[in-house]
Amino acid sequence: MGFWTWLNRQGSPPRFFDWTKHWVRWCWYLFFPTLLFGLYLALLVSPADYLQGESARIMHVHVPSAWMSLTVYFIMAVQAVGVLIWRLKVCEALMLAAAPTGAMFTAVTLLTGMLWGRPTWGTYWVWDARLTSELVLFFMYLGIVALAQAYSDRRAGARAAAVLCLVGVVQLPIIRYSVEWWNTLHQGSTIRLLGESSIHASMLWPLLVLTLATKLYFLAVWLSRARWLIVHSERQSAWVLQRLGLAP
Amino acid sequence: MLAPDVHLPAVSPPAISAPAISPLTCLLSVTELSIERGGFALFRPLSFQLQCGSVVMIAADNGVGKTSLLRTLAGLASAAEGEFQWHVAARELRFLGHQPGLKGALSLLDNLRFWLAQDQCGWDAAAVEAGLRRFNLRGHEEQPAAALSAGQRRRVALLRLQLSPGQCWLLDEPFANLDQHGIALVQELIATRLAQGGSVILTSHGQLPVPIAVLRVALVAV
Amino acid sequence: MSRELRSVTTAFRREIKLALKRPADIWLSVGFAVLVTMLFGIALGGSPNKLAAAGPAVLFTTLLLASFLAVSRMFAEDLEDGSLDQMLISPSSLTAILYGKVLAFWCLHGLSLVLATPILALLLRLDMDQLPLLLLTCTIVTLGLNLLGLVGAALTVRLRAGAMLLALIVLPLMVPLLVFGLGAVMSASQGESGIAGLALAAAETLLLLALAPAAAALGLRITSE
């Protein structure tokens, strides 16, 4: 059979459900050790920053979360293309499953940023470029989720959310740039919560390990939520009943 | 499902210049079409064909999904299962729903002007004049459409159908809320459209008030 | 090509004609903007320092909110009287119709706000030397805001949740326009040329002008049911 037929078949809900079954489990198995190792490196092994002291350790959580909050949005945008062009149910599920986790990463970025800001700047909130961008991104995630849920027809809601996601992904670089530009206008130089730009090797390893941990976490949560969404939306079809053992 | 009530006299193939359409051309083929509301199918899967120069009547009780089906066929909604294929260009479809799209604040003539412009149809003043007379709308041209009665508003929509024909009409309960004269008008309009090689899909929840040869498609509620 | 252009002008003329029969809508937008500015003026206590610092920000935020309010009603009437269905099924390209619609909307609601800007600037004790730049910036920014609002309105047209959901969807996307417009005005007030912000706002608006009606047309199609 042709390649596209094969690809289409692979992308069908039952197939997706079958071959992600083990992925989720393995992602969890790999995630916990990676997380522990990363935290160990971050909290115990890497040296305290000479300027900011122990609180700089929070950067190891803040930075990977920030990266993931952006990555997840781009992943959603890719799925949105699949939703709009090919109307794939699997893409709908993947896109909607990614949104809450993306919002969570954004929230973690904001919270860790606030926790870091307190000892560093003396205040919990600073309108610096990164925090402001993350706040706007948080609302963009909420908007997508709210729009998808506002529709009683689930598939129309997913399509509307896909359009919003694509509009957002085009606007996202512009938003981030505009916020940075605004900051330079106000403070004369870019204030970065991150502090100095060079990162020592001893600080690099915890960062990388924790980045890997966030990706594993995301894969695990994303795929399992997507699987749940597919099963829920197809709950009346034969293959679901079969997989759940409720029918022969 | 074929229940012709009355046979119209045989019509010769349309004398329109181009494109020449054979009377047996299929304009729309529907295969196992099913529509959902809230995750549940409204009616059993539907299949039928619309031939050139014929009328399909979609019959069902209220709430079973006549309007949803018509909207789906018009491209205004999406189908859940099955498929349908139009063999005419989308620009040849004309949809007349319960609300015809009349702007209350604009005058009757303005509404017609904008409709015809949107339908990419030229403005033929003589034809408009004749149409206003035929549809009993003389004297109301400059009135805001909101001041017209429901029947009059219906007739404006029908006048628009006459002025900007399009090959296939999708009419949602075209005989509702019309008096005898209006019903006769609709019948004439449909007959003229068929004679010129067009087709009509209409919905009804009961018997048609006038004899028209139709292919009756009944929606069976699930 | 001329067919599309004719569709644009048809839709444009229809909206203008409709609005002229009901001028109250436009006055409402302007009235809202003046009212909000008045509240800010009162709240800031009228002290010249605070007003000077906060003035432009208040002005642009007010414009944003007033635009947003107007936009939430953009398709409401079309949905009710069946015009939306007719637009979707019309032989004219839906994108062309939406271009006409949004441009008319901007002429009515955006430009009217721009015309009210001198009043707002007066209330906020802004520097009147900056007025030409301010008006130009507001013209560009309101067009961009209306284009974004068009997309949001198209995505939420059939929902009952309405204005609050529209706010959640559209306001984050309006941040660049807000920032660029403010940047232009604030640079100018500090003695530099405001051209950077103006150019950025114009670039964003041009991008939206190219993409927004098509996105809105897609949104209308896929959410119709």
Side-chain angles (χ1 to χ4, degrees):
Chain A
M1 79 184 94
F3 173 70
W4 291 114
T5 322
W6 174 84
L7 196 63
N8 208 358
R9 194 81 65 79
Q10 299 310 311
S12 74
R15 277 300 191 118
F16 173 78
F17 190 79
D18 288 335
W19 55 254
T20 52
K21 187 157 87 164
H22 299 290
W23 288 31
V24 175
R25 215 177 324 148
W26 277 105
C27 282
W28 284 124
Y29 291 163
L30 291 173
F31 165 66
F32 284 109
T34 317
L35 177 71
L36 289 175
F37 182 52
L39 285 178
Y40 162 72
L41 287 179
L43 295 174
L44 297 173
V45 170
S46 86
D49 183 77
Y50 81 101
L51 263 182
Q52 299 176 351
E54 301 291 334
S55 67
R57 297 187 193 279
I58 212 161
M59 172 198 77
H60 298 293
V61 178
H62 176 82
V63 172
S65 295
W67 286 343
M68 275 316 276
S69 68
L70 279 176
T71 312
V72 170
Y73 202 91
F74 283 109
I75 293 178
M76 283 173 62
V78 170
Q79 301 303 325
V81 173
V83 170
L84 289 177
I85 300 187
W86 294 289
R87 300 196 165 209
L88 294 172
K89 291 186 188 168
V90 170
C91 284
E92 287 176 19
L94 285 173
M95 183 186 77
L96 293 177
T101 313
M104 183 217 78
F105 278 117
T106 316
V108 167
T109 311
L110 287 170
L111 288 173
T112 50
M114 287 162 69
L115 288 176
W116 192 356
R118 182 74 172 96
T120 314
W121 299 106
T123 170
Y124 277 114
W125 184 257
V126 170
W127 287 100
D128 83 319
R130 167 172 278 159
L131 283 184
T132 310
S133 304
E134 290 291 312
L135 189 59
V136 175
L137 184 60
F138 184 67
F139 281 108
M140 287 167 73
Y141 276 115
L142 287 189
I144 292 180
V145 171
L147 184 63
Q149 289 190 347
Y151 277 86
S152 49
D153 176 4
R154 202 184 25 85
R155 299 206 69 186
R159 291 200 296 268
V163 174
L164 183 61
C165 186
L166 288 176
V167 172
V169 88
V170 167
Q171 291 291 299
L172 196 55
I174 302 176
I175 295 174
R176 295 189 86 90
Y177 171 72
S178 72
V179 171
E180 274 200 40
W181 180 81
W182 185 231
N183 254 56
T184 54
L185 220 54
H186 270 284
Q187 273 104 351
S189 66
T190 316
I191 292 183
R192 290 212 162 276
L193 208 51
L194 196 47
E196 295 303 308
S197 54
S198 63
I199 301 178
H200 292 270
S202 56
M203 286 188 146
L204 195 60
W205 276 112
L207 202 61
L208 291 179
V209 173
L210 281 177
T211 305
L212 182 61
T214 56
K215 295 206 189 308
L216 289 169
Y217 173 80
F218 170 67
L219 275 176
V221 172
W222 181 42
L223 290 176
S224 68
R225 191 180 288 126
R227 284 160 57 85
W228 186 90
L229 278 176
I230 285 185
V231 163
H232 181 72
S233 66
E234 303 264 303
R235 61 192 179 280
Q236 285 158 354
S237 61
W239 70 267
V240 170
L241 298 174
Q242 200 179 34
R243 298 293 188 283
L244 296 182
L246 299 172
Chain B
M1 287 199 288
L2 183 62
D5 296 319
V6 163
H7 288 284
L8 287 179
V11 292
S12 53
I16 313 177
S17 44
I21 304 171
S22 133
L24 291 181
T25 309
C26 173
L27 293 183
L28 167 69
S29 43
V30 177
T31 321
E32 300 293 309
L33 187 64
S34 156
I35 298 179
E36 280 182 4
R37 273 292 161 274
F40 294 101
L42 284 172
F43 47 79
R44 294 223 202 109
L46 194 64
S47 304
F48 67 88
Q49 288 200 333
L50 177 70
Q51 309 292 348
C52 198
S54 68
V55 180
V56 165
M57 175 174 99
I58 298 174
D61 293 328
N62 286 334
V64 182
K66 303 191 295 297
T67 306
S68 305
L69 174 62
L70 203 65
R71 290 172 59 89
T72 305
L73 292 175
L76 295 171
S78 50
E81 304 274 334
E83 58 175 34
F84 62 95
Q85 181 76 30
W86 281 102
H87 301 289
V88 289
R91 52 183 303 120
E92 295 292 333
L93 301 181
R94 296 287 181 269
F95 175 76
L96 182 54
H98 292 295
Q99 298 285 357
L102 205 56
K103 289 288 180 195
L106 294 179
S107 75
L108 192 161
L109 266 189
D110 276 337
N111 269 297
L112 273 177
R113 267 195 214 104
F114 286 124
W115 269 338
L116 292 183
Q118 197 173 280
D119 285 343
Q120 315 239 321
C121 211
W123 179 261
D124 182 356
V128 171
E129 189 58 38
L132 286 172
R133 219 173 308 128
R134 179 185 180 199
F135 283 75
N136 214 4
L137 291 166
R138 293 296 315 278
H140 297 285
E141 297 97 321
E142 297 303 330
Q143 279 184 351
L148 301 174
S149 73
Q152 282 169 328
R153 269 181 254 161
R154 249 326 165 77
R155 288 203 294 260
V156 178
L158 294 171
L159 174 56
R160 177 251 185 134
L161 278 183
Q162 178 183 297
L163 293 172
S164 146
Q167 195 172 5
C168 185
W169 291 353
L170 295 107
L171 309 175
D172 197 0
E173 305 210 24
F175 295 105
N177 298 327
L178 285 180
D179 59 3
Q180 281 299 105
H181 181 54
I183 291 177
L185 269 178
V186 176
Q187 184 187 15
E188 277 172 38
L189 273 179
I190 293 180
T192 318
R193 183 89 290 265
L194 296 182
Q196 289 169 346
S199 314
V200 175
I201 305 180
L202 50 88
T203 67
S204 165
H205 60 259
Q207 289 284 43
L208 291 181
V210 285
I212 299 182
V214 297
L215 171 63
R216 189 170 183 280
V217 170
L219 300 184
V220 184
V222 163
Chain C
M1 186 59 215
S2 74
R3 248 190 3 212
E4 267 80 4
L5 210 53
R6 240 180 303 141
S7 311
V8 174
T9 49
T10 307
F12 182 85
R13 280 192 352 251
R14 176 168 53 199
E15 295 297 319
I16 299 280
K17 222 165 187 179
L18 271 172
L20 291 179
K21 308 257 179 186
R22 264 189 336 241
D25 279 350
I26 307 173
W27 288 114
L28 281 177
S29 294
V30 172
F32 174 78
V34 175
L35 203 61
V36 170
T37 308
M38 180 190 83
L39 290 175
F40 271 104
I42 296 173
L44 288 169
S47 99
N49 294 336
K50 286 197 211 161
L51 278 179
V58 168
L59 178 73
F60 275 93
T61 312
T62 306
L63 283 185
L64 206 145
L65 292 175
S67 294
F68 161 73
L69 260 190
V71 148
S72 60
R73 293 190 315 267
M74 203 190 254
F75 288 112
E77 195 195 319
D78 289 328
L79 180 64
E80 268 180 30
D81 61 24
S83 302
L84 193 58
D85 285 342
Q86 294 301 324
M87 283 198 288
L88 285 167
I89 203 178
S90 139
S92 302
S93 140
L94 182 59
T95 310
I97 296 177
L98 289 181
Y99 266 107
K101 201 169 159 70
V102 77
L103 286 173
F105 189 86
W106 174 60
C107 286
L108 295 164
H109 293 270
L111 289 184
S112 60
L113 284 174
V114 171
L115 288 177
T117 301
I119 304 174
L120 303 181
L122 191 64
L123 289 176
L124 294 169
R125 314 264 306 257
L126 295 181
D127 186 3
M128 282 309 177
D129 291 337
Q130 308 297 330
L131 198 58
L133 176 67
L134 185 62
L135 290 177
L136 185 56
T137 313
C138 289
T139 310
I140 297 175
V141 165
T142 45
L143 178 57
L145 294 177
N146 286 350
L147 286 164
L148 274 173
L150 173 74
V151 179
L155 288 173
T156 55
V157 61
R158 288 170 208 268
L159 297 178
R160 271 189 317 234
M164 284 320 295
L165 183 61
L166 183 63
L168 183 58
I169 289 174
V170 139
L171 290 182
L173 301 174
M174 289 179 169
V175 165
L177 284 166
L178 175 71
V179 160
F180 292 145
L182 264 175
V185 171
M186 288 191 57
S187 308
S189 69
Q190 283 163 4
E192 301 154 16
S193 138
I195 199 77
L198 196 59
L200 286 167
E204 162 82 340
T205 300
L206 281 174
L207 178 68
L208 289 173
L209 194 60
L211 299 181
L218 178 62
L220 280 179
R221 279 201 198 287
I222 67 180
T223 62
S224 73
E225 77 178 82

